[in-house]
Amino acid sequence: MRILIAEDEFTSHRILRAVLTKWNYDVVSAHDGSEAWEKLQREDAPKLAVLDWMMPKMDGLEVCYKLRQMEKTIPTYIILLTARDSKKDIVKGFEAGADDYIAKPFDNNELRARINAGRRIVELQASLVEKDKLQGVIEMAGAVNHELNQPMQVISGLSELLLDSLDDNHIKEDLKEIKAQVKSMGEITRKLTRITRYKTKSYLTSKIIDLDSAAE
């Protein structure tokens, strides 16, 4: 999992990065609040962030406020890193939009436990989003299958009747091709009914459902 750390103090930043890398996280660094905000707005932004409260240009609380105003399918899970540990400050951090906090100087075991908790929540949210997407795809597939079956049946039946009544071989070949294409469309609709997972593939400049993989 990718995780962003925003810490302007060199030694603390270096320690955080080393520890998280050791725990097999893909670390994205920011050295002030403005840089953190810029990186967390990107489409491929990490879903988990550790933000220092006191930073130049933009503090951790302001980054929290801005992130919570964004519409995201999966919101960024924010752990606020702070030397302020009074109840008043903790409440202020949560009200700004932080999900958790850890006091400086932090204990590695506590940091790991809090990050693991955040990772589980992010993964759960991602799983729920995938289930919602899959449900939408299944419902759409059912509707498409229902709407296509009747006209395909009519085309196939009429083609068969015409094949039996015509003598022109060229037209017969065209009708056979029509029947073959209708058969192919039927196989597509059968795949639609077998969709069991949400799987996409690249198509031109966007993504589409990978029907073969989704229906395996």
Side-chain angles (χ1 to χ4, degrees):
M1 175 178 283
R2 297 172 73 234
I3 181 169
L4 180 136
I5 55 173
E7 165 67 85
D8 64 304
E9 203 281 312
F10 176 78
T11 302
S12 294
H13 189 109
R14 184 179 177 185
I15 292 171
L16 263 176
R17 185 177 184 88
V19 168
L20 292 172
T21 301
K22 182 181 179 181
W23 295 339
N24 296 318
Y25 286 98
D26 181 8
V27 179
V28 177
S29 290
H31 298 278
D32 58 59
S34 179
E35 185 182 2
W37 168 236
E38 188 274 324
K39 290 183 175 180
L40 289 170
Q41 291 180 83
R42 296 176 183 175
E43 188 175 344
D44 63 343
K47 302 301 181 188
L48 203 156
V50 178
L51 305 179
D52 187 27
W53 184 318
M54 300 300 296
M55 290 187 289
K57 298 184 180 179
M58 187 185 299
D59 65 28
L61 287 193
E62 189 174 353
V63 177
C64 286
Y65 278 126
K66 287 180 172 291
L67 282 172
R68 293 309 178 227
Q69 290 170 2
M70 293 178 66
E71 291 187 5
K72 284 188 172 186
T73 304
I74 302 175
T76 307
Y77 189 93
I78 303 169
I79 300 174
L80 204 58
L81 188 62
T82 176
R84 306 182 180 195
D85 57 359
S86 70
K87 287 185 178 180
K88 182 179 179 181
D89 287 325
I90 293 169
V91 169
K92 189 175 180 181
F94 284 134
E95 287 179 341
D99 296 288
D100 201 354
Y101 82 98
I102 187 166
K104 290 182 177 181
F106 59 82
D107 174 79
N108 282 359
N109 291 327
E110 182 184 2
L111 175 66
R112 188 170 193 171
R114 292 183 184 275
I115 287 177
N116 284 342
R119 188 192 71 235
R120 287 194 296 271
I121 290 174
V122 169
E123 289 173 348
L124 176 60
Q125 289 174 325
S127 175
L128 292 173
V129 167
E130 289 299 299
K131 286 181 179 179
D132 285 343
K133 288 180 179 178
L134 177 59
Q135 185 61 34
V137 169
I138 290 173
E139 290 173 1
M140 177 62 73
V144 170
N145 186 58
H146 174 73
E147 295 296 328
L148 283 179
N149 274 337
Q150 183 60 28
M152 285 194 303
Q153 184 64 44
V154 171
I155 294 170
S156 182
L158 290 176
S159 298
E160 190 67 42
L161 289 173
L162 288 169
L163 278 170
D164 292 338
S165 63
L166 289 174
D167 295 325
D168 189 314
N169 288 331
H170 291 296
I171 295 177
K172 280 191 172 185
E173 289 303 314
D174 290 341
L175 287 171
K176 287 179 181 179
E177 180 62 23
I178 289 172
K179 281 185 64 66
Q181 293 303 320
V182 170
K183 185 177 180 180
S184 296
M185 291 173 67
E187 179 56 34
I188 292 171
T189 60
R190 283 189 286 276
K191 286 180 183 178
L192 289 172
T193 64
R194 297 199 299 267
I195 288 176
T196 57
R197 59 178 177 158
Y198 185 80
K199 185 74 174 178
T200 63
K201 63 181 179 180
S202 297
Y203 179 74
L204 300 178
T205 58
S206 60
K207 291 184 180 252
I208 60 173
I209 294 293
D210 185 343
L211 196 52
D212 288 327
S213 296
E216 284 180 352

